[in-house]
Amino acid sequence: MKSSHNRMRDAIRVVLIETSHPGNIGAVARAMKNMCLQQLVLVSPRHFPSPEADARASGARDVLHQARVVSSLEEAVGDCPVVIGVSARKRSESWTALGPREAMELALGRAAQGPVALVFGRESSGLSAQELDRCTHLVHIPANPDYSSLNIAMAVQVLGYELRMQSLQEAGAPSRGDMAVPASVAQMEGFFGHLEQALHDFGFLQPGREGRIMHRLRRLFHRAAPDEREVNILRGILSSAQGGKSMRQRSSQEES
Ligand code: SAH
């Protein structure tokens, strides 16, 4: 199966219907490239190509220049088993609009079998009832109910971001958390023993009253879920505050 990155690039298609402002088309191209999307289809744009679109696309002119211009929605999505209408309105009659996250999870999943279209409406009037009928799913970005209409490029950005997050998650992209080796129970226990001793040395813990405070400190450090290196740093700090006994010396004492 293609990687999630390639699926996004090749099989997820952004379709804009009768966009009036060329600047918006450029801004959409930019939002797409930022989020690793490449397939742009313009259905009867009012002005295209246009210097304004180029200017707003900035470093994403390649996406703009590769855009396919067609004259009907059928031409744009005819080969797509999944067509997701992106609507500023939360139509409730016969449609249950999905939220952005679940819709983009579906989009990326289904992109493994064939092209998936995300269809965006006109700035003035959105998508028509017939266009919505052509869609297999509907997605709505739950914005302020008193003013829920986003600029079209912003709507592309939000969905693109959700796709990107799904794709990174699927790819298991290395994040700081993934790369770090979590501290083992034994390392945490070594640290807690060291901490308790150090707090006694500092005169912070009074004999007989250490139980409660150590319990709270344990909870605090477990909540932070430190990795091995972080535990070593903490122990280094304790050692130097205790008067320079190095962590390595202590570890070897603990082992012996
Ligand atoms: N006045 C139009 C809104 C047009 S905004 C209307 O009432 O429908 C242009 C396009 O941006 C919309 O057709 C839709 O594709 C997208 N969009 C804007 N706000 C959105 C939102 N909250 N959720 C999903 N899509 C949105």
Side-chain angles (χ1 to χ4, degrees):
M1 190 161 84
K2 269 188 178 180
S3 73
S4 53
H5 178 87
N6 292 352
R7 252 184 288 147
M8 265 183 76
R9 192 195 53 203
D10 301 336
I12 304 230
R13 186 178 303 171
V14 170
V15 178
L16 307 184
I17 300 198
E18 292 179 7
T19 313
S20 339
H21 299 289
N24 277 340
I25 301 177
V28 164
R30 181 175 187 166
M32 286 175 64
K33 188 163 177 181
N34 284 145
M35 296 298 125
C36 303
L37 292 165
Q38 216 172 57
Q39 310 297 327
L40 177 60
V41 179
L42 307 171
V43 180
S44 310
R46 194 174 293 168
H47 303 287
F48 190 80
S50 134
E52 210 181 329
D54 276 19
R56 290 287 298 279
S58 195
R61 286 188 197 157
D62 53 333
V63 173
L64 204 56
H65 296 166
Q66 285 163 26
R68 197 152 60 87
V69 179
V70 299
S71 57
S72 70
L73 179 59
E74 276 59 43
E75 256 183 277
V77 304
D79 58 335
C80 298
V82 179
V83 179
I84 304 180
V86 186
S87 173
R89 282 171 267 174
K90 199 174 175 182
R91 282 160 230 256
S92 50
E93 307 94 51
S94 51
W95 277 103
T96 319
L98 300 170
R101 192 156 302 170
E102 51 181 339
M104 294 308 100
E105 196 178 306
L106 178 139
L108 196 59
R110 298 288 291 276
Q113 287 109 45
V116 171
L118 308 179
V119 182
F120 294 81
R122 302 153 189 84
E123 293 98 322
S124 53
S125 56
L127 296 167
S128 70
Q130 292 95 309
E131 285 157 356
L132 281 167
D133 270 349
R134 186 67 193 74
C135 296
T136 56
H137 300 79
L138 187 67
V139 60
H140 172 73
I141 300 164
N144 179 354
D146 294 333
Y147 186 45
S148 67
S149 174
L150 278 72
N151 168 272
I152 188 168
M154 307 292 176
V156 170
Q157 190 78 74
V158 170
L159 297 188
Y161 175 76
E162 287 295 349
L163 281 167
R164 176 90 180 128
M165 288 304 104
Q166 308 271 344
S167 158
L168 288 175
Q169 207 177 9
E170 268 191 39
S175 65
R176 197 202 131 279
D178 290 335
M179 280 156 55
V181 181
S184 67
V185 171
Q187 282 160 339
M188 289 302 279
E189 287 308 312
F191 166 65
F192 290 133
H194 190 169
L195 180 64
E196 187 169 345
Q197 183 56 53
L199 295 179
H200 276 298
D201 295 352
F202 305 154
F204 182 82
L205 285 181
Q206 283 139 34
R209 303 194 53 194
E210 53 278 90
R212 248 187 78 223
I213 197 133
M214 283 312 298
H215 177 67
R216 292 196 75 108
L217 288 172
R218 275 174 174 272
R219 281 208 339 229
L220 168 68
F221 284 105
H222 277 310
R223 200 163 62 231
D227 60 45
E228 275 182 2
R229 285 188 58 200
E230 289 162 341
V231 167
N232 287 342
I233 292 167
L234 288 169
R235 294 198 61 175
I237 293 169
L238 292 176
S239 297
S240 74
Q242 281 172 305
K245 204 177 215 187
S246 85
M247 241 282 296
R248 271 184 220 96
Q249 285 170 316
R250 285 186 177 269
S251 311
S252 56
Q253 277 169 13
E254 269 162 29
E255 277 156 23
S256 57

